[in-house]
Structures are given as C-alpha cells and as structure tokens.
C-alpha cells in the first residue's frame, strides 16, 4: 500500500473548558479536506473524573497506546488540591518524553519582534513534575526534583537529532546548575557529552533566569532550546507571548511509539463555552500531527489557509484583536482551503 493510500485512526481527547470547541473546530477543518483520518473519541477530563474517578483513566491511556496517535484538548487540574494532572498521567504512562513547542511568528499577527523562529524541547516525564511531595513537619513541606542520566541523555539527543534533521544550527541548554549543582549539574554535563556527537551544531548553555530576560530582549539568538520539565513549561508560555499569545502556540508530546499533539494553553475557563476562543494553537498542533504522519502537502494546505485568514484583521478572533467567533474563524479557514 502506498503511503498516501494509508488511513490513520487518531484518538481524539477533547478535554475540558475550551477543549471541545477547539477540537471540534480542528476536526471540522481537517474533515473538510477529506483526509485519510478516522477519529476515535477517547474520554478524559471532568467527564471521566465524575464517572470513573480519574481524569485520565487507564482504559483511555490504553486506547491511545493502541492507536499510537492522539490529538488532545486541554484538561483542567485544580490548584493546590484535588486530582492528579491528567496530562502528567498521560505523558508519564505513555513515556511521551519529548514536549516539542515551536515559537514562530505568524503572518499578520503583530508582536514586539518579527521573525522569531525557535523550538523548545522540554523533557516531559521527570523533574519536579513527578509530584513526589511530602510533609516533613507541620510547617515544612518537601517536593523531590528527580532527574535521571538516561532521561537527560535522551532529551538532549532528541534536541540535537532534531537540529540535524531540520538543519538548525544551534542548541541551547537552559538550566540552573549554578544553584542545583547535582541535578541541573548532571543535566548540563550530559548535554555537553551529547553535544560532542554533533560537532556541526553549535552547543551553548544559559541559566534559566538570564534566558527569560534574553528571550524578551533578543529572541533571535535562540534556535533550539532543550530544558527540563518545569523550566520548559514556563519558558514555553513566555515564548507563546512572543508570537501572539497562548491562542497560537502549538505543541506535541513525542515518545518512542506514541505521539499526542496538543496546544500549549490550558482550558481557559474564563472564555469556555462562549464561542470566542482561538483554535489556531490546536490547529497548528494538528498540522504538526499531519507532518508526523508524513502528510506534508496536506499540512502545508492547512497552514496556507490559516495564514490567509490571520492576514485579514477582522477575520481574527478576539485574542488577536479581531471580532470573529470560533465558528466564524473556522469557516473562514475552510473557505480558503482550496484557494
Ligand atoms: P490557560 O492557558 O487556560 O489560560 C490563560 C489565559 O490565556 C486565559 O486568559 C485564557 O482565556 C487565554 N487563552 C488560553 N487559550 C486560549 C485560546 N485558545 N484562545 C484565546 N485565549 C486563550 O491557563 P490557566 O488559566 O492558567 O489554566 C486553566 C486550566 O488549564 C488549569 O486547570 C490548568 O491546570 C489547565 N492547563 C492544562 C493544560 C493542558 O491540558 N495541556 C496546559 C496548561 C494549563
């Protein structure tokens, strides 16, 4: 069977808040292209929390494991109390160790800098996200930061392999090894060892606080950033701000056998159900998914239609200064798929 005759079954996890709205918009656009995709809805989030006492039940994880590809809307996690993050559970259970988050300016979206073009490669399964916390005494609590050498090695290698494949010239390791000498010190040491296998790619490192300042003053110096889970989470929201906000920042969780594509943003409870959210971040995550499936021509077609809409100020959603509803924005893209 030729590649272009292959059909794909994709697990669709709609999630919470604006999740169903951005998933429906994205599926509508891809379905309008008659792509070889069969959607398999996989329950998660508040719905399964009520019925199965888990926001990411084992049966849903197993379904995504079998399907090998997922498109996921955001899921809510209560602050300071309540259930464990559905995301952390999914990423850890399927060993989706690499969280890839590109930050590239979009045509027509005005931002303080133009031509920002960098990719964050965030380690997705270790670090403070293990949720290993305990109460030492009434007034003292502890959270364990756990990094492993193999975990650090594979994410650094992933970043350098990506640089080689995409013909990018530089990888910057972002860390705090001046203070956390053992954990971040090992991450940096591993980074330097891996870098030696890629002599054609420039390897540099930067302390996380300086990196934040550099990103908002001289973002063009960055190409690929590789970093740990928590730093990567924070820096990718910062980078979303550089390119127009959370409504346009795409991402992918990649493992050895399974990949789940999802926007950087959360459930946006302040605008959920109002038909005003921007589905761009989710759509661009789906574009990454199409590229992952080697449907490059189709991915290009979606990008082109999206760019045409973004270039017309009044067709944009509110977060980008426009007046379009989510549904209106989606229709505008569909109308431009064949232009
Ligand atoms: P958030 O990303 O949901 O919202 C932050 C701000 O960005 C809000 O003002 C929101 O309206 C805006 N925004 C986000 N996405 C947008 C879109 N597509 N279009 C227009 N505006 C958009 O972050 P917040 O409020 O901190 O988190 C809300 C919930 O989401 C929390 O429960 C959190 O745990 C969860 N979350 C889930 C993620 C995931 O499932 N991947 C990622 C981040 C947060």
């Amino acid at each position: 069977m030729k590649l272009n005759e292959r059909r794909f079954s994709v697990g669709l996890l709609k999630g919470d808040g604006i999740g169903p709205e951005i998933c429906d918009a994205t599926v509508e656009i891809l379905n309008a292209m008659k792509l070889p995709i069969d959607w398999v809805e996989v329950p998660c989030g508040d719905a399964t929390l009520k019925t199965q006492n888990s926001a990411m039940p084992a049966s849903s994880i197993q379904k995504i494991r079998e399907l090998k590809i997922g498109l996921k809307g955001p899921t809510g996690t209560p602050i300071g109390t309540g259930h464990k993050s559905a995301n952390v559970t999914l990423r850890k259970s399927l060993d989706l160790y690499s969280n890839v988050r590109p930050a590239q300016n979009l045509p027509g979206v005005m931002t303080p800098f133009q031509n920002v073009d960098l990719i964050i490669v965030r380690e997705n399964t270790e670090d403070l996200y293990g949720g290993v916390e305990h109460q030492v005494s009434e007034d003292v609590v502890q959270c364990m930061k756990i990094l492993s050498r193999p975990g650090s090695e594979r994410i650094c290698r992933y970043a350098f392999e990506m640089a080689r494949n995409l013909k990018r010239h530089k990888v910057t390791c972002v860390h705090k090894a001046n203070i956390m000498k053992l954990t971040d010190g090992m991450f940096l040491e591993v980074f330097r060892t891996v870098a030696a296998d890629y002599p054609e790619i420039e390897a540099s490192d930067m302390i996380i606080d300086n990196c934040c300042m550099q990103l908002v003053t001289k973002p063009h110096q960055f190409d690929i950033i590789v970093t740990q889970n928590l730093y990567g989470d924070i820096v990718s929201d910062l980078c979303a701000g550089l390119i127009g906000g959370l409504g346009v920042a795409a991402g992918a969780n990649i493992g050895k056998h399974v990949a789940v594509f999802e926007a950087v943003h959360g459930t946006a409870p302040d605008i959920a159900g109002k038909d005003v959210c921007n589905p761009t971040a989710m759509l661009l995550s789906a574009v990454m998914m199409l590229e992952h499936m080697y449907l490059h021509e189709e991915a290009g077609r979606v990008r082109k239609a999206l760019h045409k809409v973004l270039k017309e100020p009044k067709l944009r959603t509110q977060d980008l200064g426009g007046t379009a509803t989510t549904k209106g924005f989606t229709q505008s893209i569909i109308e431009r798929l064949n232009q």
Side-chain angles (χ1 to χ4, degrees), residues 18 72 74-77 87 246-247 262 264-271 277-278 319:
I18 61 169
K72 178 183 168 295
T75 39
T77 314
N87 273 330
L246 282 165
E262 66 174 339
V264 170
H265 64 74
T267 58
D270 51 336
I271 54 169
C277 63
N278 186 350
D319 58 314

Coordinates of all heavy atoms in Angstrom, one line a residue, residues 18 72 74-77 87 246-247 262 264-271 277-278 319, ligand 1:
I18 N -12.3 25.0 27.0 CA -12.4 25.3 25.6 C -12.0 24.1 24.8 O -12.1 24.2 23.5 CB -11.6 26.5 25.2 CG1 -10.1 26.3 25.5 CG2 -12.1 27.8 25.8 CD1 -9.2 27.4 24.8
K72 N -5.2 16.1 21.4 CA -5.7 16.3 22.8 C -6.1 17.8 23.1 O -5.2 18.6 22.9 CB -4.8 15.8 23.8 CG -5.2 15.9 25.2 CD -4.2 15.5 26.2 CE -4.7 15.9 27.6 NZ -4.6 17.4 27.8
P74 N -7.1 20.6 26.1 CA -6.5 20.8 27.5 C -7.4 20.1 28.5 O -8.7 20.0 28.3 CB -6.5 22.3 27.6 CG -7.5 22.8 26.7 CD -7.5 21.9 25.5
T75 N -6.8 19.8 29.6 CA -7.6 19.2 30.7 C -7.3 20.0 32.0 O -6.2 20.4 32.2 CB -7.2 17.7 31.0 OG1 -5.8 17.6 30.8 CG2 -7.9 16.8 30.0
G76 N -8.3 20.2 32.8 CA -8.1 21.1 34.0 C -7.5 20.3 35.1 O -7.7 19.1 35.3
T77 N -6.7 21.0 35.9 CA -6.1 20.5 37.1 C -6.3 21.5 38.3 O -5.9 22.6 38.1 CB -4.6 20.2 37.0 OG1 -4.3 19.6 35.7 CG2 -4.0 19.4 38.1
N87 N -2.7 15.3 32.3 CA -1.6 15.4 31.4 C -0.4 14.7 31.8 O 0.3 14.0 31.1 CB -1.2 16.9 31.3 CG -2.0 17.6 30.2 OD1 -2.4 16.9 29.3 ND2 -2.2 18.8 30.4
L246 N -1.2 32.7 23.9 CA -1.5 31.3 24.0 C -2.4 30.7 23.0 O -2.4 29.5 22.7 CB -2.0 31.0 25.4 CG -1.0 31.0 26.5 CD1 -1.6 31.1 27.9 CD2 -0.1 29.7 26.5
G247 N -3.2 31.6 22.4 CA -4.1 31.2 21.3 C -3.4 30.6 20.1 O -4.1 30.0 19.2
E262 N -1.0 18.5 21.2 CA -1.9 19.4 21.9 C -1.3 20.8 22.0 O -0.1 21.0 22.0 CB -2.1 18.9 23.4 CG -0.9 18.8 24.2 CD -1.2 18.4 25.7 OE1 -2.3 18.5 26.1 OE2 -0.2 18.0 26.4
V264 N -0.3 24.5 23.7 CA 0.4 24.8 24.9 C -0.6 25.3 26.0 O -0.4 25.0 27.2 CB 1.5 26.0 24.6 CG1 2.1 26.5 25.9 CG2 2.6 25.5 23.7
H265 N -1.6 25.9 25.6 CA -2.5 26.5 26.6 C -3.4 25.5 27.4 O -3.4 24.4 27.0 CB -3.4 27.6 25.9 CG -4.4 27.0 24.9 ND1 -5.5 26.3 25.2 CD2 -4.4 27.1 23.5 CE1 -6.2 25.9 24.1 NE2 -5.5 26.4 23.1
G266 N -4.1 26.1 28.4 CA -4.9 25.3 29.2 C -6.4 25.4 28.8 O -6.7 25.7 27.7
T267 N -7.3 25.2 29.8 CA -8.7 25.1 29.5 C -9.4 26.4 29.3 O -10.6 26.5 29.0 CB -9.4 24.3 30.6 OG1 -9.2 25.0 31.8 CG2 -8.9 22.9 30.7
A268 N -8.7 27.5 29.6 CA -9.2 28.9 29.5 C -10.6 29.0 30.1 O -11.6 29.3 29.3 CB -9.2 29.3 28.1
P269 N -10.8 28.7 31.3 CA -12.2 28.7 31.9 C -12.9 30.0 31.7 O -14.2 30.1 31.7 CB -12.0 28.3 33.4 CG -10.6 28.4 33.6 CD -9.8 28.3 32.3
D270 N -12.1 31.1 31.7 CA -12.7 32.5 31.6 C -13.5 32.7 30.3 O -14.4 33.5 30.2 CB -11.7 33.6 31.7 CG -10.4 33.4 30.9 OD1 -10.1 32.2 30.5 OD2 -9.7 34.4 30.6
I271 N -13.2 31.9 29.2 CA -13.9 32.1 27.9 C -14.5 30.8 27.4 O -15.1 30.8 26.3 CB -12.9 32.6 26.8 CG1 -11.6 31.7 26.7 CG2 -12.5 34.1 27.1 CD1 -10.8 32.0 25.5
C277 N -13.0 31.5 21.7 CA -11.6 31.1 21.8 C -11.0 30.9 20.4 O -11.6 30.7 19.4 CB -11.5 29.8 22.6 SG -12.3 28.4 21.8
N278 N -9.6 31.0 20.4 CA -8.9 30.9 19.2 C -8.4 29.4 19.0 O -7.7 28.9 19.8 CB -7.7 31.8 19.3 CG -6.9 31.9 18.0 OD1 -7.1 31.1 17.0 ND2 -5.9 32.8 17.9
D319 N -8.7 37.4 20.8 CA -7.4 37.5 21.5 C -6.3 38.1 20.5 O -5.3 38.6 21.0 CB -6.9 36.1 21.9 CG -6.9 35.1 20.7 OD1 -7.9 35.1 19.9 OD2 -5.9 34.4 20.5
Ligands
LIG1 P1 -4.9 28.9 30.3 O1 -3.9 28.7 29.2 O2 -6.1 28.1 30.2 O3 -5.4 30.5 30.1 C1 -4.5 31.6 30.3 C2 -5.1 32.8 29.5 O4 -5.0 32.6 28.1 C3 -6.6 33.0 29.8 O5 -6.9 34.4 29.8 C4 -7.3 32.4 28.6 O6 -8.5 32.9 28.2 C5 -6.2 32.6 27.5 N1 -6.3 31.6 26.4 C6 -5.8 30.3 26.5 N2 -6.0 29.7 25.4 C7 -6.7 30.5 24.6 C8 -7.2 30.3 23.3 N3 -7.1 29.2 22.6 N4 -7.9 31.4 22.7 C9 -8.0 32.6 23.4 N5 -7.5 32.8 24.6 C10 -6.9 31.7 25.2 O7 -4.2 28.9 31.7 P2 -4.8 28.8 33.1 O8 -5.9 29.7 33.3 O9 -3.6 29.0 34.0 O10 -5.2 27.3 33.3 C11 -6.6 26.8 33.3 C12 -6.6 25.3 33.5 O11 -5.9 24.7 32.4 C13 -5.9 24.8 34.8 O12 -6.7 23.9 35.3 C14 -4.6 24.2 34.3 O13 -4.1 23.2 35.1 C15 -5.0 23.7 32.9 N6 -3.9 23.5 31.9 C16 -4.0 22.4 31.1 C17 -3.0 22.3 30.1 C18 -3.2 21.1 29.3 O14 -4.1 20.3 29.4 N7 -2.3 20.9 28.3 C19 -1.9 23.2 29.9 C20 -2.0 24.4 30.8 C21 -2.9 24.5 31.8

